[in-house]
């Protein structure tokens, strides 16, 4: 089992999201009061492509273990600073299959939709950081390590300290792809 270590949201389009005491997840919408809340896409680049696309990026989760690793490489990254809504510890988020359900605290449930596709804004936050969260694998494929995206199935309040229970989908499992 994992744990929520921090929660963040922002009403404005900025790269970072302030850490909060709690956030409220709304079924089918995302984080209440967050700029990315909605049924259809809210990320500016995706809105420009097709504003009617479903919002598969309602809630962004990031593993605190990545912050530990980045710290060891000389980067200072804290929860919310690279845009995530929920920071976790104790779950290998990147290894989860598509469709995994994450039970966050006593009420909320999100469904994992895919990998975050980090953009160049990460380097504007800290030069060289993009290279640390996106790497090339042995076969030249991109390895995205900047967290996962999800949609809200069941709403509820999420707070630091809440337990996270993982419910895997039926097999065969589909690996995460960028969304």
């Amino acid at each position: 089992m994992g744990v929520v270590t921090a929660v963040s949201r922002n009403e404005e389009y900025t790269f970072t999201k302030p850490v909060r005491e709690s956030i409220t997840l709304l079924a089918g919408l995302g984080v209440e009061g967050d700029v990315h809340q909605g049924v259809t896409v809210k990320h500016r680049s995706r809105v420009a492509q097709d504003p009617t696309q479903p919002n598969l990026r309602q809630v962004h989760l990031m593993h605190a273990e990545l912050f530990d690793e980045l710290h060891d490489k000389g980067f200072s990254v804290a929860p919310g600073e690279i845009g995530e809504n929920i920071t976790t510890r104790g779950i290998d988020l990147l290894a989860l299959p598509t469709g995994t359900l994450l039970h966050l605290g006593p009420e909320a449930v999100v469904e994992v939709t895919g990998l975050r596709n980090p953009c160049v804004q990460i380097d504007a936050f800290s030069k060289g950081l993009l290279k640390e969260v996106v790497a090339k694998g042995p076969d030249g494929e991109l390895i995205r390590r900047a967290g996962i995206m999800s949609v809200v199935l069941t709403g509820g309040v999420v707070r630091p300290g809440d337990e996270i229970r993982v419910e895997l989908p039926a097999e065969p499992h589909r690996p995460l792809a960028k969304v």
Side-chain angles (χ1 to χ4, degrees), residues 3-10 16-25 31 34 59-62 67 78-81 83-88 104-105 108 156-162 164:
V3 66
V4 173
T5 61
V7 294
S8 307
R9 71 171 167 78
N10 200 340
T16 61
K17 295 182 186 261
V19 171
R20 311 290 181 156
E21 289 183 19
S22 67
I23 57 173
T24 301
L25 302 186
V31 179
D34 192 81
V59 182
H60 176 200
L61 296 98
M62 180 83 69
F67 298 155
E81 287 187 334
E84 78 278 8
N85 299 110
I86 299 174
T87 310
T88 69
L104 306 167
V157 176
V158 180
R159 296 176 176 85
D162 281 350
I164 304 169

